[in-house]
Amino acid sequence: MSVPTLKQAPVNEHTRILGIGAYRPDVIVTNEDVCQWIDSSDEWIRQRTGIVTRHRASADVSVIDMAEGAAREALAKAGIEASELGAVIVSTVTHPYATPSAAASLADRLGATPAPAFDISAACAGYCYGIAQGDSLVRSGAAKYVLVVGAEKLSDVIDNTERTISFLLGDGAGAVVIGPSETPGIGPSVWGSDGSKWDAIGMTHSLLDVREYSATQSALHAHSGARQASALSSEEAAVTDAAIWPTLRQDGQTVFRWAVWEMAKVAQQALDAAGVKAEDLVAFVPHQANMRIIDEMVKKLQLPETVTVARDIADAGNTSAASIPLATHRLLQEHPELSGGLALQIGFGAGLVFGAQVVVLP
C-alpha cells in the first residue's frame, strides 16, 4: 500500500521587519521621585545607571492596553491589516494572569482572530526570542505575517522601597510586524540560557507562597475569633499582606558581571552568524538595562563611532521585554536616515536568558 505524499507549506527564503510601533505611558517618574522611597540621590542614580526618568502606567492601563497601542502603530507602518496576521506573539513577564495569554486578548482586540496567539516568558530577552520565532514562522510558511510585541507593566511587580532593581524599572510596549522579503532582513538568532544563575533575578515569592499565606490567615481568623483578629491593627495587617506579595529582586553584581563579560561574546557571535562586521552596522540596540553595561559592550565590541548606539534607558528606564523595540522606535524617530541599515540587537535577563540578531531596520 503506497503512502500519500504530504503537502507542506511553501517556504519563504527571506524575512524582514516591516513596521515598528511603540507605547510610552504618560506618567513620568524622576530620580527625585524615586529618592522619596529609597535613600539615594539623583547624582548616584545617574552615575550608576544612566537613568534620569522612567515611564510608568497609571492604574487603569494594562499590559494589553499598551501592547495594543504599540501593535496598531506597527501594523499601520507595515501597511498590514490585523486580519492578515498569521500569528500574534507577546513577550511579557507582567501580564497578571498565568492563563489565558495576553496575546489571545490582543489578537481579539486587533481583529486578528483566528490567528494563533501565545505569550513568551523570557524576561529582557523576550523580544529577541519573539523575533527568532516570528522569523522562523514566516520562513517556514506557517505564517505570512507575524506580530511580535514586548509589553511590560513592571510597576505592578516592584516594591518601591527596595534598591536592587525597582528604581531601574519602567513600563511600556514596543511592537513589530515580520513578513516575507526579497532580500535577507533578519540574521540568524544566537540565543540560549544559563539556568545555573536562575536565582540572580526573580520574584521574592511564588504564587503558591501567596496561596499558603492566604489560607493560613483565613484559618487564623476563623479559629481565633474577633479578639485575635483585632490583635493586629489594620496598618500592621496591610504591611504583613504586602510583605508576601511577589516583587522583583536581583543580585546586581552577578548580573552586571555576566552581562558585561558574556553578552559581548554573544553579540559578536550574532555578527559572525550574520556574516557582517561591526563597521557594517549603522546601529547597536542592546537591552536597556544599565548605561554602564551598554558602554562596556560598546568597548568590547570595538564599535566605530559611525555606529549609533541606542540609549533610551536615560528617559525610559529598564522596560524588560519592551526595551529593545522601544529603543529602536526612538532611534528611528531621531535618526530616520538609519532606516534600511543594519542593526545589532541583543537582549539578556532573568533566567538567565539571552538572544541576539542582526536586523535590517524598518
Side-chain angles (χ1 to χ4, degrees), residues 90-116:
V90 175
S91 296
T92 184
V93 293
T94 51
H95 180 48
Y97 297 92
T99 192
S101 68
S105 179
L106 176 63
D108 177 63
R109 288 194 188 186
L110 295 173
T113 304

Side-chain angles (χ1 to χ4, degrees), residues 76-91:
K77 287 185 175 177
I80 300 300
E81 297 293 331
S83 58
E84 298 178 81
L85 291 172
V88 175
I89 302 172
V90 175
S91 296

